[in-house]
């Protein structure tokens, strides 16, 4: 078996791969991690985004949105995405000037096509491990499904691959998300400054790191929609031709539809206590259809402006209600595609006038590459036998080593 | 991290878990393997079968048969089956008198819900790893999908789990099946006797091991239906109340419908050269519906008799056409649920009068436990970094280490 020898403190090359809840395409980061895995220093060597072809994105969005499919289609997409993730790994290595078998390990988050953080129904009857008295109704259990077969990545690159990061946390009764807070804790904690790391992807989430925090003092959760609603509306009004509202310019020409906004903010998700996680199930195509596209005679720019305001308000609300009253916070460090939406960032600044807003670039974390970098760091932990979840964040019973290892040859 | 320390030549306890193409339920074998992993000696300590509840089997059969589903349902079943496989592992350890965290490792094949051994369409355009010029039509690629989340098994037992045995072989351009031939080679080869190991599960397959064979001389393939057609008809006629024709007694009361049998034997699968593998896609519900249930005014016992004859003939045909003319064979060693069908075994004896038919029990391999034992042996190989596929059997470019490793904690 090649690969997998664990460098203890010496520097190691790791590739992180992810496609997020926006289902835009694959982000690949090649990083050099140095120092002990408990105190990693991370240097980004190359970054690559590989957009999905339209038909792949459309099928993934439909399936993730609850649409009908078959085992064959999921299997085909699993394999196809494995090939594509492998190609993205090869490409980011080429950009970084190294052979694709050279990384110590590749960490591939895969593409989430279903995620349920909390149980519904009566899951207790499952816990004793027998299921003969179950009816389908009692079966609604927390579960998460990522596709993009890692054996294809290992075969293509010749490097070992860590995958399926979320299931071990869920097996330990966690919500399987968010996982980036461990990385925020490792890379962004500060001895005297309370920090919020906010990522605005398809879903928005943040990590709260009190000044001089111990791991168990860190918390975080999904605040609700990030770009998901905005992107969904843009795709709808452009018939799939545009994937997002560049710079927030389209929304800037509209005005907020206040009755719609007030109704949206009453969604029970926002008042729920952490841990909580969200996805297409809550804020995807079904949500857009139900709330936005039923408003009569609304102009697209007004709906987009409202969706943008909805994201900004739900983030600010989460901070106000669950964070600022409990922990002194000095700075917000933002990342993710939403950072490029100037309207959204400006509104966040207006809604949170007392906080300093930084971009994660200022801390060596490229705003677009941050999630891919994070999974490279989590992969480093797995290979060193270190836990990757924060039970205070996911609700797990204990910290666990994340992922499965696929070796080439 | 607990578990996973590799005992070199000393004996080790391993649990093998599988639910086969019959989709009856989970087989769990606790074995003690001794000797070097290249020449294992296997002793069965306990065996347990845990039938699926009817509604689980019905949904799995429908999904594996190509029926409509959602990502959520597949994710739920993946998690539920993970819990159930974990429970089966715990139960077989209890029967064997050991704590469930005690095995060196657990190997879980999972439940196959889709398997395509050969590409269709134009897969070549995928091989360069780009996919932007692909249309959905070109996407029909070999792929395989097993469910039963191993993180749930690791959490429940406290032992490391090897899973997803088939994908590495497929990534190396193999058909991902059959995998048992490696185990047949390890356990049943003979210096002077040519051996065919025949397993009659949902699908029937055999391994041909010439006398004194080297690994690359071994070959094998799926011969076609095993119990799949028989079981499907029994379930149909009993409205799901009976899962199989006990002892072949029902079929024994019928007569072969010769026009139907002749039509069935013309299926192009039988004339195809190896490597070839079959599943519900070829011989499942759709096949039964199309061929058996359209025969007017046929008596159930005649259809069952014909299905039983179809299995016997397709096995004998495969031996005649692809084996006996090339390799001297002295004995057939049979295993799998089909061994309990006395009519089927008697017909095989009549169709192959020159060969001695043994049950695998005579070689220390319980006929019902054989597949579960086989995956325990393959797991032993994976943990020792040894390949588990036979390229001469699966068509892979080379031998590969099979599976992904999930560790507890």
């Amino acid at each position: 078996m090649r690969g997998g020898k664990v460098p203890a403190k010496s520097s190691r090359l790791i590739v992180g791969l992810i496609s997020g809840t926006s289902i835009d395409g694959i982000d690949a980061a090649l990083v050099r991690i140095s120092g002990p895995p408990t105190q990693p220093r991370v240097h980004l060597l190359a970054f690559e985004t590989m957009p999905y072809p339209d038909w792949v994105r459309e099928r993934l969005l439909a399936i993730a949105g609850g649409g009908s499919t078959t085992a064959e289609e999921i299997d085909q997409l699993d394999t196809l995405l494995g090939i594509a993730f492998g190609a993205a790994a090869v490409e980011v290595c080429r950009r970084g000037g190294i052979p694709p078998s050279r990384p110590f390990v590749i960490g591939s988050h895969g593409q989430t096509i279903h995620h349920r953080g909390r149980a519904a129904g009566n899951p207790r009857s499952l816990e004793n491990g027998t299921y003969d008295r179950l009816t389908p109704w009692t079966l609604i259990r927390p579960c998460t499904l990522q596709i993009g077969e890692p054996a294809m990545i290992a075969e293509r690159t010749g490097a070992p691959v860590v995958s399926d990061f979320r299931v071990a946390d869920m097996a330990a009764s966690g919500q399987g998300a968010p996982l980036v807070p461990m990385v925020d804790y490792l890379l962004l904690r500060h001895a005297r400054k309370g920090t919020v790391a906010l990522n605005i992807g398809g879903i928005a989430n943040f990590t709260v790191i009190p000044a001089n925090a111990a791991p168990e003092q860190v918390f975080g959760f999904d605040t609700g929609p990030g770009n998901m609603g905005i992107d969904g509306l843009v795709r709808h009004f452009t018939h799939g031709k545009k994937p997002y509202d560049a710079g927030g310019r389209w929304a800037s020409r509209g005005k907020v539809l206040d009755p719609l906004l007030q109704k949206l903010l009453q969604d029970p998700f926002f008042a729920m206590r952490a841990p909580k996680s969200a996805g297409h199930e809550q804020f995807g195509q079904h949500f857009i259809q139900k709330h936005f596209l039923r408003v009569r005679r609304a102009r697209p720019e007004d709906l987009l402006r409202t969706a943008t305001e909805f994201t900004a308000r739900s983030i600010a609300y989460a901070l106000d209600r669950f964070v600022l009253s409990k922990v002194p916070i000095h700075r917000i460090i933002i990342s993710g595609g939403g950072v490029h939406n100037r309207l959204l960032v400006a509104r966040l600044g207006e809604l949170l006038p007392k906080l300093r807003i930084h971009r994660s670039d200022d801390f060596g974390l490229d705003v677009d590459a941050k999630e891919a970098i994070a999974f490279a760091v989590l992969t480093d932990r797995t290979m060193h036998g270190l836990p990757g979840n924060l039970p205070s964040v996911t609700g797990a019973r204990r910290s666990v080593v994340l992922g499965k290892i696929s070796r080439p040859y």
Side-chain angles (χ1 to χ4, degrees), chain A:
Chain A
M1 274 196 295
R2 294 167 55 189
K5 213 183 72 181
V6 181
K9 291 181 187 178
S10 58
S11 81
R12 52 247 180 231
L13 294 172
I14 302 187
V15 172
L17 303 170
I18 185 170
S19 172
T21 44
S22 294
I23 313 192
D24 292 327
I26 302 161
D27 291 341
L30 172 66
V31 301
R32 183 184 300 283
I33 298 184
S34 53
T38 49
Q39 289 172 288
R41 291 188 305 278
V42 179
H43 180 61
L44 182 66
L45 299 175
F47 178 63
E48 178 71 26
T49 293
M50 190 164 145
Y52 287 138
D54 289 343
W55 70 267
V56 171
R57 190 171 59 233
E58 278 160 25
R59 286 309 300 151
L60 290 171
L61 281 167
I63 291 168
S68 175
T69 183
T70 61
E72 175 170 26
E73 186 181 34
I74 288 182
D75 196 4
Q76 283 287 329
L77 286 167
D78 185 34
T79 302
L80 177 71
L81 264 54
I83 295 170
F85 275 76
V90 168
E91 181 57 21
V92 80
C93 287
R94 197 192 61 74
R95 289 219 181 185
I98 64 161
S101 64
R102 176 80 189 291
F104 160 53
V105 61
I106 293 171
S108 180
H109 174 274
Q111 174 69 60
T112 297
I113 58 169
H114 182 259
H115 184 85
R116 174 187 290 277
R118 278 176 197 252
N122 177 17
R124 186 179 296 267
S125 52
L126 276 163
E127 295 299 337
N128 63 1
T130 64
Y131 59 2
D132 44 10
R133 287 158 307 159
L134 292 180
T135 66
W137 184 83
T138 61
L139 179 59
I140 305 169
R141 202 185 191 284
C143 57
T144 188
L145 186 57
Q146 282 78 43
I147 61 171
E149 176 51 51
M152 305 302 293
I153 307 171
E155 172 70 19
R156 183 72 201 283
T157 59
V161 178
V162 176
S163 63
D164 277 355
F165 288 84
R166 301 192 185 277
V167 287
D169 180 80
M170 277 199 161
S173 303
Q175 300 217 359
L179 298 179
V180 175
M182 168 65 88
V183 181
D184 291 332
Y185 174 74
L186 291 169
L187 301 182
L188 299 174
R189 69 180 185 267
H190 193 283
R192 293 175 313 280
K193 291 180 184 170
T195 301
V196 167
L198 170 66
N199 192 76
I200 310 173
I203 291 294
N205 54 65
F206 56 48
T207 308
V208 182
I209 314 164
N212 202 27
E216 59 273 17
Q217 293 174 286
V218 175
F219 64 100
F221 50 89
D222 290 351
T223 62
N227 310 311
M228 191 176 276
I230 304 166
D231 293 356
L233 286 169
V234 169
R235 274 196 300 267
H236 176 79
F237 290 122
T238 65
H239 303 286
K241 290 201 180 64
K242 288 193 177 176
Y244 55 87
D245 180 15
R249 285 192 290 273
W250 195 353
S252 297
R253 297 201 303 267
K255 62 179 177 50
V256 173
L257 304 173
D258 211 59
L260 172 59
L261 178 66
Q262 294 310 323
K263 196 173 70 176
L264 296 174
L265 290 170
Q266 279 161 28
D267 191 286
F269 180 83
F270 302 114
M272 276 166 60
R273 289 170 182 282
K276 59 182 178 178
S277 54
H280 284 270
E281 299 73 18
Q282 288 85 9
F283 299 109
Q285 287 182 331
H286 177 75
F287 185 86
I288 295 167
Q289 194 66 45
K290 180 177 168 190
H291 292 292
F292 286 89
L293 300 179
R294 286 195 189 162
V295 180
R296 291 194 182 185
R297 272 171 269 154
R299 299 187 308 165
E301 52 267 43
D302 294 343
L303 291 174
L304 277 166
R305 180 72 182 80
T306 307
T308 308
E309 185 70 13
F310 178 41
T311 293
R313 291 272 197 105
S314 58
I315 293 168
Y317 174 84
L319 274 168
D320 264 342
R321 167 138 184 192
F322 296 111
V323 181
L324 300 180
S325 58
K326 295 174 189 163
V327 184
I329 293 298
H330 305 86
R331 57 184 192 171
I332 301 187
I333 300 171
I334 58 174
S335 60
V339 173
H340 303 299
N341 186 326
R342 264 174 265 145
L343 173 64
L344 176 59
V345 175
R347 285 297 297 140
L348 279 175
E350 289 162 13
L351 292 166
L352 302 162
K354 292 179 186 161
L355 292 173
R356 177 100 191 261
I357 298 183
H358 305 264
R359 290 163 58 108
S360 63
D361 313 65
D362 302 341
F363 299 85
L365 291 170
D366 182 289
V367 293
D368 296 310
K370 191 194 165 200
E371 296 260 308
I373 294 170
F375 279 90
V377 173
L378 290 173
T379 300
D380 186 47
R381 291 185 70 83
T382 295
M383 294 303 279
H384 288 89
L386 294 169
N389 65 335
L390 286 172
S392 55
V393 172
T394 65
R397 283 194 299 268
R398 62 172 189 281
S399 55
V400 290
V401 177
L402 303 177
K404 305 182 175 79
I405 302 177
S406 302
R407 292 189 188 276
Y409 319 160

